[in-house]
Amino acid sequence: MCGIVGAVSEREVQGILLEGLRRLEYRGYDSAGMAVMDGGNVVQRAREVGKVAALADAIGAKVLEGAVGIAHTRWATHGEPSRLNAHPHMSGDKLAIVHNGIIENYQDLRDELKAEGFEFTSQTDTEVVAHLIEKHYREQSNLKDAVKSAIGRLRGAYALAVIHADEPDHLVVCREGSPLVIGVGIGENFIASDQLALLPVTDRFMFLEEGDIADIRRDRVEIHDREGNIVERPVTRFEHGADSADKGEYRHFMLKEIHEQPRVIKATMEGRLTDTSVLEQALGTSAGKLLENVRHVQIIACGTSFHAGMVARYWIEDLAGVPCSVEVASEFRYRKHVIQPDTLFLCISQSGETADTLAALRQAKKAGFRAALAICNVPGSSLVRESDLVIMTQAGPEIGVASTKAFTTQLTALLIFTLALARHNGLSTEAEAEIVEAIHLLPGQVDQVLALDGEIAEMSRAFMDKHHSLFLGRGSQFPVALEGALKLKEISYIHAEAYPAGELKHGPLALVDSEMPVVTVAPNNDLLEKLKSNLEEVRARGGELFVFADKVADVKAQDGIHVMQLPSVHPITAPIVYTVPLQLLSYHVAVLKGTDVDQPRNLAKSVTVE
Ligand code: G6P
């Protein structure tokens, strides 16, 4: 995921931009660059492949002087990682631009601009935007107007920051589908892909809305909405202190991380979706080729990541019609495999350093799987380095040992991947649009679930003295039940088992009595009626039920049945929403029991040994 930083100041901005890039490193990148104007009618530029440190070394020798500049970390989507493909891109020697996102119609625009005499030096979609803005600038002689005209022709997702040496005292930014925040300083202003990049220079931020264009000057910021009206966007203070590894107002990291989910889910989808479709290129330069002719998917992971893989199996078979197997890495690595032709090997890992997952990957490569895709949260990790294609989750650092936000962002990334795969396997544009629209609703729906925190805390009292519990789900909610049970056992030390509800009468029903709370996730899907019959079976044996149900599911609270109503959600995205109340339930039970929530006994965050 590319990262953007920019500054308009009175002082030299090179140091601010470099520090901003370092702080965006967590997003993952393969090259970095910067362009600065010194008021002297030229734009100076430096670009390097590799780390921000390599860019800093390269600049070190020549020092880019100037008080207005833009910088970028690139995650290759069009064209390999190289100095020529790194941002900023320029049109002539006066206009420079950085871009995070994907321009879908770049090829048509490139042909058109080439025919008009513009020369291209890179394979990127971004260079097209640079020339398109320059073309309009020649007609309009006003950078903001030129940007507005140019973006009217773009299809896709973008956050852009543009400078022009003929207008040396400002920069112009805009966003559509990719994040962009303005940092408000005193006598200077900044822009970046996220707040973390700018914390050394300010703690006051304005968030641009979709379609906004902003003119950023040293002493003022002017924002225009899509219709061209001048609009005010509220200035907010950064909430959780300057350090993301800080608990802020929360009692535990786990609670903080649960509450971060609406934001990080949004960050994981940003730049990868339009309103109605998946931007396949945003998954990487080789995504299209790699997803073609995939006949089978083999998912490997451990712990919570394994549960994400189990949910993904339902999606992959349902939406893409591609057979999918899921296995824990520690089992996979020690057995013989029958490899089906054209199998995509997919590893899921928060840390990217889990020993069993890495061993399975290395073994799969030797065994001749077609290609390896990783879903991972830590850029630069071993898994990321050793995979052919990587989809980074944007959960940010996860400190609590019990994984929460990493799981829901893994699911978000897996659903986006599934849609890209499904498109190669006949999913209609209407069906894709329906699910993409449902994905866009997720941050708001998770927020609604978080608002139930108080009620869930109340509910958790019933678990405090219990020694055993049972979690039930059907279909893609079965892995959600597994994850709910894992959370409860990890942090409260209560024995928790999960079953597909239909298996109840094949064993676990024998355990059900008033001392065994039974937790059930019941979204409104085509298995709801069957699930309700399973609940009757529990109730008839005196079991106490705790049901998280869609408000239209018509599960009535009564003696022995506690019902928590959740927002109505699309059946495909329901596993993401229904995970959240189970996280909160476990958290509150653990707090009541007084366990070490963030560092439960005997467990480690990253299991780097076998
Ligand atoms: C440990 C952690 C879990 C995590 C699992 C897999 O057990 O405590 O939270 O799910 O490892 O880790 P990974 O980093 O590969 O997702």
Side-chain angles (χ1 to χ4, degrees), residues 301-306 348-355 357 383 398 400-404 406 410 483 486-487 490 603-607:
C302 301
T304 290
S305 300
F306 171 65
I348 308 168
S349 172
Q350 186 285 129
S351 62
E353 301 294 350
T354 302
T357 308
L383 181 66
E398 190 179 62
V401 166
S403 185
T404 52
Q410 283 168 347
E483 176 58 14
L486 177 63
K487 284 294 85 94
E490 278 179 313
L603 299 179
K605 180 76 191 152
S606 187
V607 183

Side-chain angles (χ1 to χ4, degrees), residues 45-68:
R45 173 172 65 162
R47 300 179 292 173
E48 276 304 319
V49 175
K51 297 276 159 208
V52 171
L55 176 69
D57 286 349
I59 294 172
K62 59 177 183 177
V63 183
L64 301 188
E65 282 178 355
V68 178

Side-chain angles (χ1 to χ4, degrees), residues 35 68 104 119 124 153 172 217 255 258 261 285 301 305 334 336 408 426 449 471 474 503 542-543 562 588 599:
V68 178
E104 284 182 299
E119 278 177 24
T124 64
R153 307 242 3 239
V172 174
R217 293 173 188 268
L255 187 61
I258 290 172
Q261 288 177 114
T285 17
S305 300
Y334 287 118
K336 208 172 150 205
T408 46
V449 175
F471 283 68
R474 295 196 76 129
E503 275 289 292
H562 310 266
H588 288 297
Q599 286 179 308

